[in-house]
Every structure is written in structure tokens, then in C-alpha cells.
Amino acid sequence: MFVTEQFYIGVRDFDKNYDLKNEQLLYFLESVAAKHSNIAGFGIKQMEQTKLTWVLLNWRVDITSRPKYDDTIVVKTWSASIDKLYAYRDFEIYDTNNNLKGTATSKWLLMNTDTWKFVKLDEQQMESYETENMTIYEDYIYPKIKTNINYNSSAKRVFISNNMIDINHHVHNTCYYTMALDVLPEELKEKQFNHFEIIYKKEIKKDDIIYGNYAIDDNNQYIISLINQDGQINSQIILN
């Protein structure tokens, strides 16, 4: 099953160059994914009955031509594949003339909201998603957290506001990108990176004390770590 949704790029969605901001793009991707889950019977509105919720583990997003203010884009998503534990979801981003503007992929776990334990997936359970068994990134391996990093910066406190918190009382998935930008030098904070990846290892809550560090790897990518007060990395963001 392919699910699509149109999004108009309005006044809160663009930067000083009239380019669509990555934070808003993530919101659009997440919204059409949620639409698919609602159709399949595993959405937010069904949580009270199913006692299940999806937990995001990874994002990869690639923009080939960035949409701008006053554009309308069409986001297409589908269930790319499932295995016993993980579900994989892909996306394509088009303009209204059917020109491809970007692609994305994501990795998810299904969690029981009563026990907060992960649920094994099976084909019968996931039938309503009508998995296409088709992926954009054939040879892509979702990255894991890197720990042996020589950071270019000293640790910087990253503050969490109330509007970052979602219905699960955690920092919302799209806000991790914003938190990562706060760690970078001033001249990069408004840059719209055309390739980025986010690795979610441990949820961040409202009262957590979080610090950020960044490094530049051999591929000239920025690696930003969001680190809790115990020195553990909650999330890592790769920007290029």
C-alpha cells in the first residue's frame, strides 16, 4: 500500500532563504507515516485499543532539490519490509509536477504501552500495512552509535522546552534535529543539510540534563552526540 499526502510550505516552514527547513520536512514525513498507521489500525487513535505504539530508531533523509516557500509537495510512503523485530518505511518527496525532490528511509520497533516491552512482528499482524517489499536504499546499513569520537567542541548544555514533549512524555522525534543544530557553530545553525541521519538510542525526557558535542569525520560529515548526565549517548545525528 502506498499512502500520499500533500503539504503546503507556509510561513513557519521556511528559513531566511525561503528553503523548506529540515525540521518541518521531518514533520511532514512523520505525518504521512502516521496516516498510514491509522489506515492500518495501528495508529495514534487506536492506541487505547491496541496498547501498541511505534518507536522510531533511525532516519535517513536525502534532498536532491529543496522545496521552497509557497510550494506544495507530495510525500509518498510505504512499508518497505518487516522482519521479526523491525519494520522499515521508505518515502519519496515530489512536487506537484511529479518531479522527485528527495527520498528517505526509517527503521521502527513496535512497543506494548502497558509493559513498555518490544513486540515481535509477524506477517499476519502486519497484513493491514500491505508491505510492498520494495526499498529505495538497496545496500544501505542503518548506522549505530559511534562512541570513540574526538570531539571538536567542549560539551554544551542543550535545553529542553515544554513544546518539545510528545504524548509519551518524551522529546518528540523531530526535535532531536533541532537540538543537534544548537550544538554546532553559529554559522551552521541555519544551514539546511541535504543529507542527514538520526540514530535514536534512548529517549530524552523533560527533566533530563543533556549535553551536546560535535565532531567532523573523515567524510567531512558533522557527527553530533546528545549525551545525558551519566555520559551515555541518547542520540547521534549525522549531517552533510
mmCIF file of all heavy atoms in Angstrom, residues 22 26 59 143-146 149 151 173-181 183-184 193 195-200 204 210-215 217 221-227 233-240:
data_model
loop_
_atom_site.group_PDB
_atom_site.id
_atom_site.type_symbol
_atom_site.label_atom_id
_atom_site.label_comp_id
_atom_site.label_asym_id
_atom_site.label_seq_id
_atom_site.Cartn_x
_atom_site.Cartn_y
_atom_site.Cartn_z
ATOM 1 N N ASN A 22 14.557 21.502 7.443
ATOM 2 C CA ASN A 22 14.574 20.054 7.656
ATOM 3 C C ASN A 22 13.671 19.626 8.810
ATOM 4 O O ASN A 22 13.095 18.538 8.779
ATOM 5 C CB ASN A 22 16.007 19.574 7.903
ATOM 6 C CG ASN A 22 16.822 19.543 6.634
ATOM 7 O OD1 ASN A 22 16.290 19.369 5.544
ATOM 8 N ND2 ASN A 22 18.134 19.714 6.760
ATOM 9 N N LEU A 26 10.794 16.747 8.359
ATOM 10 C CA LEU A 26 10.605 15.570 9.215
ATOM 11 C C LEU A 26 9.172 15.481 9.720
ATOM 12 O O LEU A 26 8.598 14.394 9.807
ATOM 13 C CB LEU A 26 11.583 15.617 10.393
ATOM 14 C CG LEU A 26 13.028 15.250 10.101
ATOM 15 C CD1 LEU A 26 13.889 15.459 11.356
ATOM 16 C CD2 LEU A 26 13.153 13.810 9.622
ATOM 17 N N TRP A 59 16.486 7.584 11.135
ATOM 18 C CA TRP A 59 16.104 8.327 9.946
ATOM 19 C C TRP A 59 17.299 8.399 9.003
ATOM 20 O O TRP A 59 18.440 8.551 9.456
ATOM 21 C CB TRP A 59 15.729 9.770 10.270
ATOM 22 C CG TRP A 59 14.331 10.082 10.662
ATOM 23 C CD1 TRP A 59 13.924 10.634 11.852
ATOM 24 C CD2 TRP A 59 13.146 9.928 9.884
ATOM 25 N NE1 TRP A 59 12.565 10.815 11.856
ATOM 26 C CE2 TRP A 59 12.064 10.389 10.662
ATOM 27 C CE3 TRP A 59 12.894 9.424 8.603
ATOM 28 C CZ2 TRP A 59 10.749 10.374 10.197
ATOM 29 C CZ3 TRP A 59 11.586 9.415 8.147
ATOM 30 C CH2 TRP A 59 10.538 9.885 8.940
ATOM 31 N N PRO A 143 23.171 3.014 10.486
ATOM 32 C CA PRO A 143 24.350 3.158 11.348
ATOM 33 C C PRO A 143 24.021 2.966 12.820
ATOM 34 O O PRO A 143 22.876 3.133 13.248
ATOM 35 C CB PRO A 143 24.804 4.596 11.083
ATOM 36 C CG PRO A 143 23.554 5.305 10.686
ATOM 37 C CD PRO A 143 22.728 4.301 9.933
ATOM 38 N N LYS A 144 25.045 2.598 13.566
ATOM 39 C CA LYS A 144 24.938 2.502 15.019
ATOM 40 C C LYS A 144 25.681 3.677 15.657
ATOM 41 O O LYS A 144 26.473 4.356 14.999
ATOM 42 C CB LYS A 144 25.507 1.164 15.511
ATOM 43 C CG LYS A 144 24.731 -0.039 15.004
ATOM 44 C CD LYS A 144 25.314 -1.338 15.553
ATOM 45 C CE LYS A 144 24.519 -2.549 15.053
ATOM 46 N NZ LYS A 144 25.070 -3.827 15.578
ATOM 47 N N ILE A 145 25.428 3.891 16.916
ATOM 48 C CA ILE A 145 26.083 4.964 17.652
ATOM 49 C C ILE A 145 27.598 4.763 17.647
ATOM 50 O O ILE A 145 28.097 3.675 17.925
ATOM 51 C CB ILE A 145 25.573 5.019 19.110
ATOM 52 C CG1 ILE A 145 24.091 5.404 19.154
ATOM 53 C CG2 ILE A 145 26.420 5.944 19.965
ATOM 54 C CD1 ILE A 145 23.794 6.839 18.884
ATOM 55 N N LYS A 146 28.336 5.830 17.310
ATOM 56 C CA LYS A 146 29.795 5.811 17.407
ATOM 57 C C LYS A 146 30.204 6.373 18.762
ATOM 58 O O LYS A 146 29.716 7.436 19.163
ATOM 59 C CB LYS A 146 30.409 6.647 16.286
ATOM 60 C CG LYS A 146 30.120 6.119 14.897
ATOM 61 C CD LYS A 146 30.740 7.019 13.835
ATOM 62 C CE LYS A 146 30.442 6.508 12.435
ATOM 63 N NZ LYS A 146 31.012 7.404 11.392
ATOM 64 N N ILE A 149 34.977 8.996 19.640
ATOM 65 C CA ILE A 149 34.974 10.217 18.829
ATOM 66 C C ILE A 149 35.848 11.275 19.488
ATOM 67 O O ILE A 149 35.761 11.500 20.699
ATOM 68 C CB ILE A 149 33.536 10.765 18.672
ATOM 69 C CG1 ILE A 149 32.641 9.745 17.949
ATOM 70 C CG2 ILE A 149 33.537 12.082 17.915
ATOM 71 C CD1 ILE A 149 31.201 10.182 17.814
ATOM 72 N N TYR A 151 35.966 14.884 19.774
ATOM 73 C CA TYR A 151 35.059 15.998 19.526
ATOM 74 C C TYR A 151 35.808 17.290 19.255
ATOM 75 O O TYR A 151 36.868 17.539 19.818
ATOM 76 C CB TYR A 151 34.116 16.180 20.715
ATOM 77 C CG TYR A 151 33.126 15.045 20.870
ATOM 78 C CD1 TYR A 151 33.247 14.110 21.893
ATOM 79 C CD2 TYR A 151 32.059 14.915 19.975
ATOM 80 C CE1 TYR A 151 32.335 13.063 22.027
ATOM 81 C CE2 TYR A 151 31.151 13.874 20.101
ATOM 82 C CZ TYR A 151 31.289 12.950 21.125
ATOM 83 O OH TYR A 151 30.395 11.925 21.252
ATOM 84 N N ASN A 173 10.379 13.152 18.246
ATOM 85 C CA ASN A 173 11.432 12.706 17.329
ATOM 86 C C ASN A 173 12.022 13.834 16.484
ATOM 87 O O ASN A 173 13.240 13.888 16.277
ATOM 88 C CB ASN A 173 10.870 11.629 16.392
ATOM 89 C CG ASN A 173 10.435 10.383 17.127
ATOM 90 O OD1 ASN A 173 11.051 9.978 18.097
ATOM 91 N ND2 ASN A 173 9.360 9.765 16.673
ATOM 92 N N THR A 174 11.176 14.724 15.978
ATOM 93 C CA THR A 174 11.669 15.769 15.086
ATOM 94 C C THR A 174 12.539 16.794 15.816
ATOM 95 O O THR A 174 13.356 17.471 15.184
ATOM 96 C CB THR A 174 10.489 16.501 14.420
ATOM 97 O OG1 THR A 174 9.644 17.048 15.441
ATOM 98 C CG2 THR A 174 9.664 15.546 13.560
ATOM 99 N N CYS A 175 12.401 16.893 17.132
ATOM 100 C CA CYS A 175 13.143 17.896 17.905
ATOM 101 C C CYS A 175 14.623 17.543 18.079
ATOM 102 O O CYS A 175 15.425 18.427 18.396
ATOM 103 C CB CYS A 175 12.496 18.089 19.269
ATOM 104 S SG CYS A 175 10.811 18.739 19.195
ATOM 105 N N TYR A 176 14.977 16.283 17.885
ATOM 106 C CA TYR A 176 16.376 15.887 18.031
ATOM 107 C C TYR A 176 17.236 16.609 16.990
ATOM 108 O O TYR A 176 18.388 16.959 17.260
ATOM 109 C CB TYR A 176 16.521 14.377 17.889
ATOM 110 C CG TYR A 176 16.030 13.589 19.094
ATOM 111 C CD1 TYR A 176 14.680 13.550 19.443
ATOM 112 C CD2 TYR A 176 16.921 12.857 19.881
ATOM 113 C CE1 TYR A 176 14.232 12.833 20.528
ATOM 114 C CE2 TYR A 176 16.479 12.121 20.972
ATOM 115 C CZ TYR A 176 15.134 12.119 21.290
ATOM 116 O OH TYR A 176 14.689 11.395 22.383
ATOM 117 N N TYR A 177 16.692 16.801 15.806
ATOM 118 C CA TYR A 177 17.426 17.526 14.769
ATOM 119 C C TYR A 177 17.684 18.963 15.222
ATOM 120 O O TYR A 177 18.795 19.480 15.086
ATOM 121 C CB TYR A 177 16.646 17.505 13.455
ATOM 122 C CG TYR A 177 17.378 18.160 12.311
ATOM 123 C CD1 TYR A 177 18.192 17.405 11.473
ATOM 124 C CD2 TYR A 177 17.281 19.530 12.061
ATOM 125 C CE1 TYR A 177 18.886 17.994 10.426
ATOM 126 C CE2 TYR A 177 17.968 20.132 11.031
ATOM 127 C CZ TYR A 177 18.771 19.362 10.215
ATOM 128 O OH TYR A 177 19.469 19.945 9.189
ATOM 129 N N THR A 178 16.663 19.614 15.775
ATOM 130 C CA THR A 178 16.808 20.984 16.258
ATOM 131 C C THR A 178 17.841 21.066 17.376
ATOM 132 O O THR A 178 18.657 22.001 17.430
ATOM 133 C CB THR A 178 15.450 21.506 16.757
ATOM 134 O OG1 THR A 178 14.471 21.315 15.736
ATOM 135 C CG2 THR A 178 15.530 22.973 17.120
ATOM 136 N N MET A 179 17.815 20.097 18.284
ATOM 137 C CA MET A 179 18.781 20.061 19.381
ATOM 138 C C MET A 179 20.205 19.923 18.850
ATOM 139 O O MET A 179 21.137 20.530 19.367
ATOM 140 C CB MET A 179 18.443 18.913 20.330
ATOM 141 C CG MET A 179 17.112 19.094 21.058
ATOM 142 S SD MET A 179 16.558 17.593 21.910
ATOM 143 C CE MET A 179 17.687 17.578 23.316
ATOM 144 N N ALA A 180 20.364 19.130 17.802
ATOM 145 C CA ALA A 180 21.691 18.939 17.209
ATOM 146 C C ALA A 180 22.222 20.249 16.625
ATOM 147 O O ALA A 180 23.406 20.576 16.783
ATOM 148 C CB ALA A 180 21.634 17.861 16.129
ATOM 149 N N LEU A 181 21.364 21.010 15.961
ATOM 150 C CA LEU A 181 21.797 22.280 15.379
ATOM 151 C C LEU A 181 22.289 23.247 16.444
ATOM 152 O O LEU A 181 23.211 24.033 16.212
ATOM 153 C CB LEU A 181 20.651 22.924 14.594
ATOM 154 C CG LEU A 181 20.213 22.242 13.301
ATOM 155 C CD1 LEU A 181 19.129 23.071 12.627
ATOM 156 C CD2 LEU A 181 21.382 22.013 12.347
ATOM 157 N N VAL A 183 24.070 22.690 18.863
ATOM 158 C CA VAL A 183 25.433 22.344 19.283
ATOM 159 C C VAL A 183 26.477 22.883 18.310
ATOM 160 O O VAL A 183 27.628 23.110 18.677
ATOM 161 C CB VAL A 183 25.556 20.808 19.430
ATOM 162 C CG1 VAL A 183 26.958 20.391 19.837
ATOM 163 C CG2 VAL A 183 24.523 20.285 20.430
ATOM 164 N N LEU A 184 26.081 23.112 17.057
ATOM 165 C CA LEU A 184 27.024 23.497 16.013
ATOM 166 C C LEU A 184 27.437 24.961 16.143
ATOM 167 O O LEU A 184 26.767 25.755 16.816
ATOM 168 C CB LEU A 184 26.381 23.270 14.643
ATOM 169 C CG LEU A 184 26.111 21.822 14.245
ATOM 170 C CD1 LEU A 184 25.426 21.778 12.882
ATOM 171 C CD2 LEU A 184 27.383 20.994 14.230
ATOM 172 N N PHE A 193 21.041 21.065 5.700
ATOM 173 C CA PHE A 193 21.866 19.966 5.197
ATOM 174 C C PHE A 193 21.013 19.064 4.304
ATOM 175 O O PHE A 193 19.903 18.667 4.677
ATOM 176 C CB PHE A 193 22.444 19.174 6.366
ATOM 177 C CG PHE A 193 23.446 19.940 7.176
ATOM 178 C CD1 PHE A 193 23.050 20.728 8.259
ATOM 179 C CD2 PHE A 193 24.794 19.890 6.860
ATOM 180 C CE1 PHE A 193 23.963 21.439 9.013
ATOM 181 C CE2 PHE A 193 25.736 20.605 7.599
ATOM 182 C CZ PHE A 193 25.314 21.380 8.683
ATOM 183 N N HIS A 195 21.740 16.019 3.298
ATOM 184 C CA HIS A 195 21.772 14.623 3.744
ATOM 185 C C HIS A 195 21.896 14.630 5.262
ATOM 186 O O HIS A 195 22.760 15.299 5.811
ATOM 187 C CB HIS A 195 22.961 13.867 3.142
ATOM 188 C CG HIS A 195 23.199 12.534 3.805
ATOM 189 N ND1 HIS A 195 22.516 11.399 3.442
ATOM 190 C CD2 HIS A 195 24.007 12.172 4.832
ATOM 191 C CE1 HIS A 195 22.906 10.387 4.213
ATOM 192 N NE2 HIS A 195 23.810 10.838 5.065
ATOM 193 N N PHE A 196 21.019 13.889 5.916
ATOM 194 C CA PHE A 196 21.174 13.734 7.360
ATOM 195 C C PHE A 196 20.597 12.403 7.818
ATOM 196 O O PHE A 196 19.720 11.823 7.176
ATOM 197 C CB PHE A 196 20.555 14.905 8.134
ATOM 198 C CG PHE A 196 19.071 15.075 7.988
ATOM 199 C CD1 PHE A 196 18.189 14.450 8.855
ATOM 200 C CD2 PHE A 196 18.548 15.890 6.997
ATOM 201 C CE1 PHE A 196 16.819 14.624 8.738
ATOM 202 C CE2 PHE A 196 17.184 16.074 6.863
ATOM 203 C CZ PHE A 196 16.318 15.438 7.743
ATOM 204 N N GLU A 197 21.172 11.932 8.912
ATOM 205 C CA GLU A 197 20.730 10.692 9.536
ATOM 206 C C GLU A 197 20.588 10.938 11.040
ATOM 207 O O GLU A 197 21.365 11.699 11.618
ATOM 208 C CB GLU A 197 21.742 9.572 9.273
ATOM 209 C CG GLU A 197 21.941 9.283 7.792
ATOM 210 C CD GLU A 197 23.051 8.273 7.532
ATOM 211 O OE1 GLU A 197 22.880 7.103 7.910
ATOM 212 O OE2 GLU A 197 24.079 8.681 6.960
ATOM 213 N N ILE A 198 19.603 10.305 11.638
ATOM 214 C CA ILE A 198 19.396 10.398 13.080
ATOM 215 C C ILE A 198 19.306 8.986 13.643
ATOM 216 O O ILE A 198 18.574 8.149 13.124
ATOM 217 C CB ILE A 198 18.115 11.185 13.431
ATOM 218 C CG1 ILE A 198 18.140 12.574 12.786
ATOM 219 C CG2 ILE A 198 17.970 11.304 14.951
ATOM 220 C CD1 ILE A 198 16.871 13.373 13.019
ATOM 221 N N ILE A 199 20.069 8.748 14.706
ATOM 222 C CA ILE A 199 20.043 7.462 15.412
ATOM 223 C C ILE A 199 19.468 7.723 16.803
ATOM 224 O O ILE A 199 20.019 8.514 17.570
ATOM 225 C CB ILE A 199 21.457 6.863 15.539
ATOM 226 C CG1 ILE A 199 22.162 6.843 14.178
ATOM 227 C CG2 ILE A 199 21.388 5.454 16.138
ATOM 228 C CD1 ILE A 199 23.671 6.697 14.280
ATOM 229 N N TYR A 200 18.361 7.074 17.103
ATOM 230 C CA TYR A 200 17.731 7.210 18.421
ATOM 231 C C TYR A 200 18.071 5.972 19.253
ATOM 232 O O TYR A 200 17.662 4.858 18.912
ATOM 233 C CB TYR A 200 16.212 7.314 18.295
ATOM 234 C CG TYR A 200 15.728 8.442 17.413
ATOM 235 C CD1 TYR A 200 15.481 8.232 16.054
ATOM 236 C CD2 TYR A 200 15.485 9.700 17.932
ATOM 237 C CE1 TYR A 200 15.016 9.258 15.251
ATOM 238 C CE2 TYR A 200 15.026 10.741 17.128
ATOM 239 C CZ TYR A 200 14.791 10.507 15.787
ATOM 240 O OH TYR A 200 14.330 11.520 14.986
ATOM 241 N N ILE A 204 14.755 10.896 25.350
ATOM 242 C CA ILE A 204 15.081 12.040 26.201
ATOM 243 C C ILE A 204 13.788 12.564 26.808
ATOM 244 O O ILE A 204 12.799 12.768 26.097
ATOM 245 C CB ILE A 204 15.789 13.139 25.397
ATOM 246 C CG1 ILE A 204 17.129 12.616 24.853
ATOM 247 C CG2 ILE A 204 16.017 14.385 26.250
ATOM 248 C CD1 ILE A 204 17.850 13.603 23.949
ATOM 249 N N ILE A 210 20.910 17.248 29.329
ATOM 250 C CA ILE A 210 21.509 16.802 28.070
ATOM 251 C C ILE A 210 22.599 17.778 27.636
ATOM 252 O O ILE A 210 22.422 19.001 27.690
ATOM 253 C CB ILE A 210 20.438 16.686 26.964
ATOM 254 C CG1 ILE A 210 19.373 15.661 27.349
ATOM 255 C CG2 ILE A 210 21.079 16.311 25.625
ATOM 256 C CD1 ILE A 210 19.880 14.236 27.473
ATOM 257 N N TYR A 211 23.714 17.206 27.202
ATOM 258 C CA TYR A 211 24.819 17.985 26.646
ATOM 259 C C TYR A 211 25.055 17.537 25.203
ATOM 260 O O TYR A 211 24.742 16.404 24.834
ATOM 261 C CB TYR A 211 26.092 17.775 27.459
ATOM 262 C CG TYR A 211 25.981 18.261 28.881
ATOM 263 C CD1 TYR A 211 25.555 17.405 29.899
ATOM 264 C CD2 TYR A 211 26.283 19.582 29.216
ATOM 265 C CE1 TYR A 211 25.437 17.849 31.200
ATOM 266 C CE2 TYR A 211 26.169 20.037 30.521
ATOM 267 C CZ TYR A 211 25.742 19.162 31.513
ATOM 268 O OH TYR A 211 25.614 19.604 32.799
ATOM 269 N N GLY A 212 25.620 18.434 24.410
ATOM 270 C CA GLY A 212 25.924 18.117 23.020
ATOM 271 C C GLY A 212 27.380 18.372 22.695
ATOM 272 O O GLY A 212 27.988 19.324 23.200
ATOM 273 N N ASN A 213 27.938 17.504 21.869
ATOM 274 C CA ASN A 213 29.281 17.685 21.310
ATOM 275 C C ASN A 213 29.217 17.375 19.821
ATOM 276 O O ASN A 213 28.380 16.583 19.378
ATOM 277 C CB ASN A 213 30.295 16.734 21.953
ATOM 278 C CG ASN A 213 30.611 17.068 23.381
ATOM 279 O OD1 ASN A 213 29.894 16.653 24.280
ATOM 280 N ND2 ASN A 213 31.686 17.795 23.609
ATOM 281 N N TYR A 214 30.121 17.975 19.055
ATOM 282 C CA TYR A 214 30.158 17.618 17.638
ATOM 283 C C TYR A 214 31.594 17.324 17.210
ATOM 284 O O TYR A 214 32.568 17.781 17.825
ATOM 285 C CB TYR A 214 29.551 18.719 16.763
ATOM 286 C CG TYR A 214 30.467 19.891 16.476
ATOM 287 C CD1 TYR A 214 31.303 19.888 15.360
ATOM 288 C CD2 TYR A 214 30.499 21.003 17.315
ATOM 289 C CE1 TYR A 214 32.140 20.959 15.089
ATOM 290 C CE2 TYR A 214 31.325 22.072 17.048
ATOM 291 C CZ TYR A 214 32.149 22.050 15.927
ATOM 292 O OH TYR A 214 32.988 23.106 15.668
ATOM 293 N N ALA A 215 31.692 16.538 16.137
ATOM 294 C CA ALA A 215 32.978 16.230 15.519
ATOM 295 C C ALA A 215 32.795 16.251 14.003
ATOM 296 O O ALA A 215 31.665 16.179 13.501
ATOM 297 C CB ALA A 215 33.483 14.864 15.974
ATOM 298 N N ASP A 217 34.002 14.076 10.715
ATOM 299 C CA ASP A 217 34.649 12.798 10.413
ATOM 300 C C ASP A 217 35.462 12.897 9.126
ATOM 301 O O ASP A 217 35.576 13.963 8.509
ATOM 302 C CB ASP A 217 33.633 11.650 10.374
ATOM 303 C CG ASP A 217 32.673 11.734 9.191
ATOM 304 O OD1 ASP A 217 32.886 12.573 8.279
ATOM 305 O OD2 ASP A 217 31.711 10.934 9.166
ATOM 306 N N GLN A 221 31.629 14.956 7.356
ATOM 307 C CA GLN A 221 30.299 14.982 7.931
ATOM 308 C C GLN A 221 30.369 15.466 9.379
ATOM 309 O O GLN A 221 31.337 15.179 10.089
ATOM 310 C CB GLN A 221 29.664 13.581 7.908
ATOM 311 C CG GLN A 221 29.494 12.995 6.531
ATOM 312 C CD GLN A 221 28.808 11.646 6.578
ATOM 313 O OE1 GLN A 221 27.759 11.445 5.984
ATOM 314 N NE2 GLN A 221 29.417 10.709 7.279
ATOM 315 N N TYR A 222 29.340 16.170 9.796
ATOM 316 C CA TYR A 222 29.233 16.568 11.193
ATOM 317 C C TYR A 222 28.530 15.457 11.974
ATOM 318 O O TYR A 222 27.437 15.020 11.590
ATOM 319 C CB TYR A 222 28.446 17.871 11.327
ATOM 320 C CG TYR A 222 29.199 19.070 10.790
ATOM 321 C CD1 TYR A 222 29.077 19.441 9.454
ATOM 322 C CD2 TYR A 222 30.040 19.817 11.609
ATOM 323 C CE1 TYR A 222 29.778 20.529 8.953
ATOM 324 C CE2 TYR A 222 30.738 20.905 11.117
ATOM 325 C CZ TYR A 222 30.604 21.250 9.784
ATOM 326 O OH TYR A 222 31.306 22.332 9.287
ATOM 327 N N ILE A 223 29.167 15.002 13.043
ATOM 328 C CA ILE A 223 28.599 13.990 13.924
ATOM 329 C C ILE A 223 28.283 14.668 15.255
ATOM 330 O O ILE A 223 29.189 15.112 15.960
ATOM 331 C CB ILE A 223 29.578 12.818 14.161
ATOM 332 C CG1 ILE A 223 30.169 12.312 12.839
ATOM 333 C CG2 ILE A 223 28.883 11.703 14.941
ATOM 334 C CD1 ILE A 223 29.193 11.674 11.910
ATOM 335 N N ILE A 224 27.006 14.771 15.574
ATOM 336 C CA ILE A 224 26.586 15.427 16.821
ATOM 337 C C ILE A 224 26.048 14.367 17.776
ATOM 338 O O ILE A 224 25.178 13.564 17.404
ATOM 339 C CB ILE A 224 25.498 16.489 16.569
ATOM 340 C CG1 ILE A 224 26.021 17.583 15.639
ATOM 341 C CG2 ILE A 224 25.028 17.106 17.878
ATOM 342 C CD1 ILE A 224 25.572 17.461 14.224
ATOM 343 N N SER A 225 26.570 14.344 18.987
ATOM 344 C CA SER A 225 26.101 13.426 20.021
ATOM 345 C C SER A 225 25.320 14.199 21.071
ATOM 346 O O SER A 225 25.775 15.243 21.537
ATOM 347 C CB SER A 225 27.278 12.703 20.692
ATOM 348 O OG SER A 225 27.985 11.911 19.767
ATOM 349 N N LEU A 226 24.149 13.688 21.424
ATOM 350 C CA LEU A 226 23.363 14.212 22.534
ATOM 351 C C LEU A 226 23.560 13.268 23.707
ATOM 352 O O LEU A 226 23.175 12.095 23.642
ATOM 353 C CB LEU A 226 21.882 14.325 22.152
ATOM 354 C CG LEU A 226 21.584 15.242 20.956
ATOM 355 C CD1 LEU A 226 20.095 15.225 20.627
ATOM 356 C CD2 LEU A 226 22.064 16.669 21.213
ATOM 357 N N ILE A 227 24.172 13.773 24.775
ATOM 358 C CA ILE A 227 24.722 12.934 25.846
ATOM 359 C C ILE A 227 24.044 13.303 27.164
ATOM 360 O O ILE A 227 23.896 14.478 27.497
ATOM 361 C CB ILE A 227 26.244 13.152 25.947
ATOM 362 C CG1 ILE A 227 26.906 12.879 24.594
ATOM 363 C CG2 ILE A 227 26.847 12.274 27.037
ATOM 364 C CD1 ILE A 227 28.332 13.371 24.487
ATOM 365 N N ILE A 233 25.240 8.251 25.401
ATOM 366 C CA ILE A 233 24.736 8.930 24.224
ATOM 367 C C ILE A 233 23.282 8.508 23.992
ATOM 368 O O ILE A 233 22.987 7.337 23.757
ATOM 369 C CB ILE A 233 25.584 8.608 22.969
ATOM 370 C CG1 ILE A 233 27.019 9.101 23.175
ATOM 371 C CG2 ILE A 233 24.969 9.252 21.730
ATOM 372 C CD1 ILE A 233 27.971 8.725 22.048
ATOM 373 N N ASN A 234 22.371 9.473 24.071
ATOM 374 C CA ASN A 234 20.954 9.198 23.818
ATOM 375 C C ASN A 234 20.649 9.150 22.330
ATOM 376 O O ASN A 234 19.796 8.379 21.888
ATOM 377 C CB ASN A 234 20.077 10.275 24.459
ATOM 378 C CG ASN A 234 20.046 10.173 25.972
ATOM 379 O OD1 ASN A 234 21.067 10.316 26.620
ATOM 380 N ND2 ASN A 234 18.857 9.937 26.538
ATOM 381 N N SER A 235 21.338 10.005 21.578
ATOM 382 C CA SER A 235 21.078 10.085 20.147
ATOM 383 C C SER A 235 22.295 10.634 19.441
ATOM 384 O O SER A 235 23.101 11.350 20.047
ATOM 385 C CB SER A 235 19.870 11.006 19.895
ATOM 386 O OG SER A 235 19.613 11.136 18.510
ATOM 387 N N GLN A 236 22.410 10.288 18.161
ATOM 388 C CA GLN A 236 23.514 10.801 17.355
ATOM 389 C C GLN A 236 22.952 11.234 16.020
ATOM 390 O O GLN A 236 22.122 10.537 15.416
ATOM 391 C CB GLN A 236 24.597 9.741 17.161
ATOM 392 C CG GLN A 236 25.988 10.287 17.014
ATOM 393 C CD GLN A 236 27.040 9.213 17.312
ATOM 394 O OE1 GLN A 236 27.105 8.186 16.639
ATOM 395 N NE2 GLN A 236 27.858 9.448 18.332
ATOM 396 N N ILE A 237 23.400 12.398 15.551
ATOM 397 C CA ILE A 237 22.877 12.981 14.318
ATOM 398 C C ILE A 237 24.051 13.217 13.374
ATOM 399 O O ILE A 237 25.084 13.760 13.776
ATOM 400 C CB ILE A 237 22.129 14.310 14.607
ATOM 401 C CG1 ILE A 237 20.927 14.047 15.530
ATOM 402 C CG2 ILE A 237 21.674 14.957 13.312
ATOM 403 C CD1 ILE A 237 21.214 14.141 17.000
ATOM 404 N N ILE A 238 23.894 12.781 12.140
ATOM 405 C CA ILE A 238 24.926 12.912 11.106
ATOM 406 C C ILE A 238 24.420 13.894 10.062
ATOM 407 O O ILE A 238 23.339 13.727 9.495
ATOM 408 C CB ILE A 238 25.216 11.551 10.449
ATOM 409 C CG1 ILE A 238 25.615 10.524 11.515
ATOM 410 C CG2 ILE A 238 26.288 11.672 9.381
ATOM 411 C CD1 ILE A 238 25.580 9.086 11.027
ATOM 412 N N LEU A 239 25.202 14.940 9.786
ATOM 413 C CA LEU A 239 24.792 15.993 8.858
ATOM 414 C C LEU A 239 25.840 16.172 7.760
ATOM 415 O O LEU A 239 27.038 16.186 8.031
ATOM 416 C CB LEU A 239 24.618 17.325 9.595
ATOM 417 C CG LEU A 239 23.684 17.340 10.809
ATOM 418 C CD1 LEU A 239 23.762 18.683 11.505
ATOM 419 C CD2 LEU A 239 22.260 17.039 10.394
ATOM 420 N N ASN A 240 25.367 16.318 6.532
ATOM 421 C CA ASN A 240 26.293 16.504 5.417
ATOM 422 C C ASN A 240 25.578 17.301 4.319
ATOM 423 O O ASN A 240 24.481 16.951 3.930
ATOM 424 C CB ASN A 240 26.750 15.155 4.872
ATOM 425 C CG ASN A 240 27.843 15.285 3.852
ATOM 426 O OD1 ASN A 240 28.380 16.353 3.607
ATOM 427 N ND2 ASN A 240 28.165 14.184 3.198
#
